[in-house]
Amino acid sequence: MQDKHYLMIPGPTPVPPAVVAAMSRPMIGHRSEDFAALHRRIEEKIRRVFGTVHEVFILTHSGTGGLETAIANVVSPGDKVLALITGNFGERFAKIARAYGAEVDEINFGWGKNVDLTVVAEKLAGDPGYKAVLATQNETSTGVLNDIAGIGALVAKTPALLLVDGVSGVGGIEIKMDEWHVDILVTASQKAMMLPPGLAMVAVGPKAWPVIEGNSAPRFYFSLPAARKSFEKWNTAYTPNVSLFQGLDAALDMMLAEGLENVYARHILLARAVREAVLALGLRPLAEAGYASPTVTSVYSPEGIGADDIRKVLKEELGVTFAGGQGILKGKIFRIAHMGFADKMDVILAVAALEMALTRVGYPVELGKGVKAAQEVLLGR
Amino acid sequence: MQDKHYLMIPGPTPVPPAVVAAMSRPMIGHRSEDFAALHRRIEEKIRRVFGTVHEVFILTHSGTGGLETAIANVVSPGDKVLALITGNFGERFAKIARAYGAEVDEINFGWGKNVDLTVVAEKLAGDPGYKAVLATQNETSTGVLNDIAGIGALVAKTPALLLVDGVSGVGGIEIKMDEWHVDILVTASQKAMMLPPGLAMVAVGPKAWPVIEGNSAPRFYFSLPAARKSFEKWNTAYTPNVSLFQGLDAALDMMLAEGLENVYARHILLARAVREAVLALGLRPLAEAGYASPTVTSVYSPEGIGADDIRKVLKEELGVTFAGGQGILKGKIFRIAHMGFADKMDVILAVAALEMALTRVGYPVELGKGVKAAQEVLLGR
């Protein structure tokens, strides 16, 4: 049926009506007092989401632009960088650093595994010359959550900066940038922040500024010193996406009205419900329970059945869109997002649709069994 | 969660994004050529939905205004009217006729039953003096579908006009106004037509016009002769709700793109899925299968449990809104709409939520059992 779509991919995620309404407000000039007031309101609220007292720059580009902003301001040719990789987005972060001429040491923990802190500790003890350590909070390609607090405690003892990709985590999963010693934290609008794509948010801590000021890599649009200068007058260095700023203001209001603790607890509950349902259906989640993502669940397709065949039935017959696997997991897994504007009945719908699609592609499941498992989690039984 | 609502009441129903977008287009003058073109486009399409080659007037008031339009143009004080009543809206139609001075003979078939054609045939044979017969296609208060073709065949043999309330049916349930001998057919925007409330659509057949022209009841805003005069120039007699006209144009495009046969089959399928689920949970539908509505299913609350207690849990804990009972059924039934912008996963969601709410209020159901029954219907098994 036209327009009857249930988007359950890890970004872009569904946008709440209140955010759509805010984005439909009349355009305002970006050098106006109205914009400055809007920017200030956003800043006061978004710092709570980031767990920081420092500036969070709202930049008009996507999450990858946000990651490049972090790199371009910190890394110069020949700098040594340590990349902690648990999937596609960890690899991308390292790739950007290499594009800026860094000598990148990669530790690849495997797609579906999380960062092992003892390995990181050893690596940092063995080579004290890293300028930056790159980590991913929530690896979207695998549905793995990494221990940023643990990584932060290790990196804080060294001169290196900790740059964190929080793109599919921030806003849905707790992060305490200052307390956890994150020096630059990046997220984007189209994930747990409940907005369309188009904005990256980059927060910068005090340990990072001397490095940023002294960095020699070329940067103009991505310049954090330029962003900081404009920020003093609640301005942006270049033309901002005004509509998304208006939407962000509304999205932050929604998150704070719900209460950040409740937002985080909701994501954990939804992830548990999906996981129990998947297990009840005899399927295997990619990530172990101890480090499974609260915002996206990756599931292996049953033996002999292509994940994309399941996704095709879901989309064409039921209007439900799951994400597929990336890189080495292409065709092998599907990913169910429960991120941002998602609540109990959305995950029930996802599980029921999965049962129906599995039935269609010839994998025998007991209809309703996964739903029951999810219902029990959601009812707190 | 704010904005996370699943509206499953028999009107207003959810509005598709394409319709919202159309309603957001700039205002146009209602005496402009643009409006005339819009009106003409609508008319060409809506006649197919009504099953008529005659005028369908799009009037700016609610469904009750539409019923009053039918009565005000047909009934004068002292006229004899036969009202075929199967619930709240049948009673309302009769009440409007009495407000215009009609002598109304009511046949009340009981709330939850349908119109018995043999009773109607006897009544019409016994008294040939009726000016109008009032019938309800789809009785929203009970979820009962009446046999309009059957009633039409009986009334066509008499001088009486058949006035049909099609408010919660037209657009979701097949109706053939001309073939079935319906003289005035009324519907409204906020049901199967997938629009917000604010428009009534009133179609008038050739047998009705001499009666309408000769009627002596006072009428101005509700005047069908006035509507007909303006209609000749693709105009409306009084200021129309322009946004809803724009939305109606888009909604009709959606319906015709899907194909009316498919739209009707979809509603029947969804109703079957809900009914089987309800039965699997040990609950009792109000209407028997043979005349259960394709657009709304009424279900008795289990013994000792108030229907409104179930509805409260659904709304407050799960964001799902079912309708309650009306009149004598208040507190005894709940009503699940699957009307207009509704598809497979919506009814699955409704059933899963019902299971969870029943569990919460202490009625023992096997979680997932109703979902399974619905899934099987939807998978065609």
Side-chain angles (χ1 to χ4, degrees):
Chain A
M1 186 183 190
Q2 185 194 327
D3 277 3
K4 200 52 142 171
H5 301 305
Y6 308 89
L7 185 65
M8 293 177 172
I9 62 172
T13 58
V15 179
V19 174
V20 174
M23 291 183 57
S24 305
R25 287 204 297 255
M27 199 47 54
I28 57 174
H30 62 296
R31 301 300 183 215
S32 67
E33 284 181 23
D34 284 347
F35 182 82
L38 169 66
H39 194 177
R40 184 180 190 151
R41 279 201 306 278
I42 288 171
E43 188 66 18
E44 283 164 1
K45 293 179 278 194
I46 204 168
R47 289 184 183 185
R48 294 173 59 185
V49 178
F50 274 63
T52 186
V53 298
H54 305 296
E55 293 97 330
V56 181
F57 301 103
I58 318 293
L59 304 168
T60 297
H61 45 65
S62 78
T64 300
L67 298 179
E68 180 161 346
T69 298
I71 295 294
N73 284 277
V74 164
V75 171
S76 300
D79 285 345
K80 293 199 73 178
V81 165
L82 176 64
L84 310 177
I85 295 174
T86 53
N88 188 43
F89 290 97
E91 289 183 1
R92 179 178 294 185
F93 211 174
K95 199 172 177 179
I96 298 170
R98 276 197 301 272
Y100 277 77
E103 275 182 40
V104 182
D105 274 1
E106 294 190 359
I107 315 181
N108 197 324
F109 296 89
W111 287 49
K113 299 293 177 191
N114 67 341
V115 169
D116 181 338
L117 294 183
T118 57
V119 174
V120 178
E122 276 167 30
K123 194 79 183 175
L124 289 175
D127 186 336
Y130 291 124
K131 193 174 187 189
V133 176
L134 315 183
T136 312
Q137 180 197 18
N138 187 70
E139 176 53 61
T140 322
S141 65
T142 59
V144 157
L145 180 66
N146 288 310
D147 178 3
I148 298 301
I151 297 167
L154 295 173
V155 178
K157 292 182 220 154
T158 76
L161 299 181
L162 175 58
L163 315 188
V164 172
D165 169 354
V167 169
S168 64
V170 176
I173 306 170
E174 181 172 58
I175 195 156
K176 296 179 175 177
M177 176 173 166
D178 295 351
E179 193 180 322
W180 295 357
H181 309 289
V182 176
D183 299 304
I184 301 186
L185 176 58
V186 177
T187 196
S189 51
Q190 79 279 16
K191 310 276 181 173
M193 303 298 286
M194 308 191 291
L195 291 162
L199 291 183
M201 299 85 169
V202 179
V204 181
K207 185 176 167 186
W209 280 116
V211 179
I212 292 170
E213 298 291 355
N215 200 46
S216 66
R219 47 193 158 146
F220 192 86
Y221 191 69
F222 290 146
S223 168
L224 284 171
R228 189 189 210 183
K229 189 159 180 292
S230 299
F231 188 88
E232 283 166 18
K233 292 180 177 170
W234 299 111
N235 225 324
T236 58
Y238 313 111
T239 312
N241 185 322
V242 172
S243 297
L244 283 171
F245 271 67
Q246 289 169 319
L248 178 56
D249 192 31
L252 289 165
D253 282 342
M254 278 182 70
M255 292 164 71
L256 296 175
E258 183 177 355
L260 289 177
E261 297 303 312
N262 298 327
V263 170
Y264 303 145
R266 170 165 52 80
H267 283 87
I268 290 169
L269 180 71
L270 300 184
R272 274 187 51 224
V274 170
R275 187 176 186 86
E276 290 304 321
V278 161
L279 291 169
L281 293 173
L283 302 182
R284 192 157 62 93
L286 180 65
E288 281 176 31
Y291 50 84
S293 163
T295 57
V296 58
T297 300
S298 292
V299 183
Y300 281 109
S301 192
E303 195 60 39
I305 295 178
D308 293 344
D309 294 334
I310 299 170
R311 292 176 57 233
K312 191 168 150 65
V313 173
L314 282 165
K315 178 72 164 68
E316 292 179 3
E317 190 173 341
L318 303 171
V320 175
T321 307
F322 290 177
Q326 298 183 323
I328 55 170
L329 294 170
K330 193 162 169 56
K332 294 183 184 161
I333 64 164
F334 53 85
R335 295 176 296 147
I336 307 171
H338 25 83
M339 185 186 287
F341 187 51
D343 206 356
K344 297 188 183 90
M345 296 317 298
D346 299 308
V347 299
I348 293 287
L349 188 154
V351 170
L354 173 59
E355 291 177 351
M356 293 166 78
L358 287 170
T359 303
R360 269 284 185 265
V361 298
Y363 179 77
V365 295
E366 190 184 314
L367 291 169
K369 193 175 178 183
V371 170
K372 179 183 182 175
Q375 286 173 314
E376 285 182 337
V377 170
L378 298 174
L379 286 168
R381 279 143 55 103
Chain B
M1 188 183 190
Q2 184 192 326
D3 277 2
K4 201 56 145 171
H5 300 306
Y6 309 89
L7 186 66
M8 293 175 170
I9 62 173
T13 58
V15 179
V19 175
V20 173
M23 291 184 59
S24 304
R25 286 204 297 256
M27 198 48 52
I28 56 174
H30 61 295
R31 300 301 182 215
S32 66
E33 284 181 23
D34 284 347
F35 182 81
L38 169 66
H39 194 176
R40 184 178 189 152
R41 280 200 305 279
I42 289 171
E43 188 67 17
E44 284 165 0
K45 293 180 278 195
I46 203 167
R47 287 184 185 185
R48 294 173 58 186
V49 178
F50 275 63
T52 187
V53 298
H54 306 296
E55 293 97 332
V56 181
F57 301 104
I58 318 292
L59 306 167
T60 297
H61 44 64
S62 78
T64 301
L67 298 179
E68 181 161 346
T69 298
I71 296 294
N73 285 278
V74 165
V75 171
S76 300
D79 285 344
K80 292 197 76 178
V81 166
L82 176 64
L84 310 177
I85 295 174
T86 53
N88 189 42
F89 291 97
E91 289 184 1
R92 179 178 294 185
F93 210 175
K95 199 171 175 179
I96 298 169
R98 278 196 300 271
Y100 277 76
E103 275 182 41
V104 182
D105 273 0
E106 294 189 0
I107 315 181
N108 197 324
F109 297 88
W111 287 49
K113 299 291 178 192
N114 66 341
V115 168
D116 181 338
L117 295 182
T118 58
V119 174
V120 178
E122 278 169 28
K123 194 79 184 177
L124 288 175
D127 186 336
Y130 292 123
K131 192 174 188 188
V133 176
L134 314 183
T136 311
Q137 178 196 19
N138 187 68
E139 176 52 61
T140 322
S141 66
T142 59
V144 158
L145 180 66
N146 287 310
D147 178 3
I148 297 302
I151 297 167
L154 295 173
V155 178
K157 294 181 221 155
T158 77
L161 298 181
L162 175 58
L163 314 188
V164 172
D165 169 356
V167 169
S168 63
V170 175
I173 306 170
E174 181 170 58
I175 195 156
K176 297 179 174 176
M177 178 173 165
D178 295 351
E179 191 180 324
W180 294 357
H181 309 288
V182 177
D183 299 302
I184 300 187
L185 176 58
V186 177
T187 195
S189 51
Q190 80 279 15
K191 309 276 182 176
M193 302 299 285
M194 307 191 292
L195 291 163
L199 292 182
M201 298 86 168
V202 180
V204 182
K207 185 176 167 186
W209 279 116
V211 180
I212 291 170
E213 299 291 354
N215 200 46
S216 68
R219 47 191 158 148
F220 194 86
Y221 191 71
F222 291 145
S223 168
L224 284 171
R228 190 189 208 181
K229 189 158 180 291
S230 299
F231 188 88
E232 284 165 18
K233 293 180 178 169
W234 299 111
N235 225 324
T236 59
Y238 314 110
T239 311
N241 185 323
V242 172
S243 298
L244 283 171
F245 271 67
Q246 289 168 321
L248 178 55
D249 191 32
L252 289 165
D253 282 341
M254 279 182 71
M255 293 164 72
L256 295 176
E258 184 177 353
L260 289 177
E261 296 304 311
N262 298 327
V263 169
Y264 302 145
R266 171 166 52 81
H267 283 89
I268 289 169
L269 181 71
L270 300 184
R272 274 187 51 223
V274 170
R275 187 176 187 88
E276 290 303 321
V278 160
L279 291 169
L281 293 173
L283 301 182
R284 193 158 61 92
L286 180 63
E288 282 175 32
Y291 49 83
S293 163
T295 57
V296 57
T297 300
S298 292
V299 183
Y300 280 109
S301 193
E303 195 61 37
I305 294 178
D308 293 344
D309 294 334
I310 298 169
R311 292 176 57 234
K312 190 168 150 61
V313 173
L314 282 165
K315 178 73 163 66
E316 292 179 2
E317 190 174 340
L318 304 172
V320 176
T321 306
F322 290 176
Q326 297 182 323
I328 55 169
L329 293 171
K330 193 164 170 52
K332 294 182 184 163
I333 64 164
F334 52 87
R335 294 177 295 148
I336 306 171
H338 26 83
M339 183 185 288
F341 187 51
D343 205 356
K344 297 187 183 92
M345 296 316 300
D346 299 309
V347 299
I348 292 287
L349 189 154
V351 170
L354 173 59
E355 291 177 352
M356 292 166 79
L358 288 169
T359 303
R360 269 284 185 263
V361 299
Y363 178 77
V365 294
E366 190 184 316
L367 291 169
K369 194 175 178 183
V371 169
K372 179 183 181 173
Q375 285 173 315
E376 285 181 336
V377 170
L378 298 174
L379 286 169
R381 282 147 51 107

